Amino acid sequence: MRQNPTPAPTRARVALLAGGLLLLVAGIGLVAWVLASSAGLTGRDDPVMADSTATTAAARNAAGTVDYRLEPADGDPVTVRLEVAADPATRARGLMERERVPPGTGMVFLYPADVAESFWMKNTLVPLSIAFVAADGRVVSVSEMTPCKADPCPSYAPAGPYRYAIELAAGSFGDAGVGPGARVVPADPAALPEPA
């Protein structure tokens, strides 16, 4: 008995298969883009902070930055522009993966109550100075921190409880004459968000 040969695919079938394949590839691309976006790998400007002299006040305020004054026991105060980390996710991310921290800029980590948490430099690319500061603006301690790309990374502990911590480029606190007992305070406390 002779069987009928398998019919050759029609143009409609070929077009349908090609269209399905294109939809599959587009769907995979969309899923990859969504995953990369949620990981912060796409759709953002360069993560390096802009030079504070080149940005407008409106842009700085929109980015969540504030001015702090470094007030050494002896010497003139120095004003720095800081990004604000006032919630757990932003505090956990900190200045990770930044390729540079321009002079006079950094980040303030605000807490709703006194803490004694240590900091570490996992996935942080540049050396930083950190000042642990009490609620009254008095510096509890200062540490110099070095980048760390792989575990185990050292941790940098405060000398006592603190309410906020400030990270600047390495050596910045020493250069400003700021150490334990000096003051680091917001220029406008009303501009600070309520920490979570």
Side-chain angles (χ1 to χ4, degrees), residues 1 5 8 13 23 53 80 87 113 122 163:
M1 178 166 160
R13 278 188 173 175
L23 283 174
T53 61
V80 293
D87 61 81
K122 178 76 182 275
R163 181 64 58 91

Side-chain angles (χ1 to χ4, degrees), residues 77-192:
V78 174
T79 300
V80 293
R81 166 108 359 218
L82 305 175
E83 292 181 43
V84 178
D87 61 81
T90 310
R91 288 192 297 263
R93 178 128 179 100
L95 292 172
M96 285 182 181
E97 300 174 6
R98 302 292 177 96
E99 293 180 3
R100 66 187 186 103
V101 177
T105 68
M107 184 171 281
V108 58
F109 299 79
L110 302 175
Y111 294 87
D114 287 352
V115 295
E117 296 177 4
S118 295
F119 275 60
W120 69 336
M121 295 283 282
K122 178 76 182 275
N123 297 324
T124 305
L125 307 177
V126 295
L128 299 170
S129 289
I130 187 167
F132 299 99
V133 186
D136 65 359
R138 181 187 45 80
V139 175
V140 175
S141 60
V142 174
S143 294
E144 295 296 322
M145 305 186 298
T146 57
C148 180
K149 293 182 180 178
D151 288 327
C153 290
S155 59
Y156 300 89
Y162 63 93
R163 181 64 58 91
Y164 52 96
I166 294 178
E167 288 181 344
L168 300 172
S172 294
F173 291 108
D175 291 347
V178 171
R183 291 176 44 84
V184 176
V185 295
D188 179 8
L192 298 175

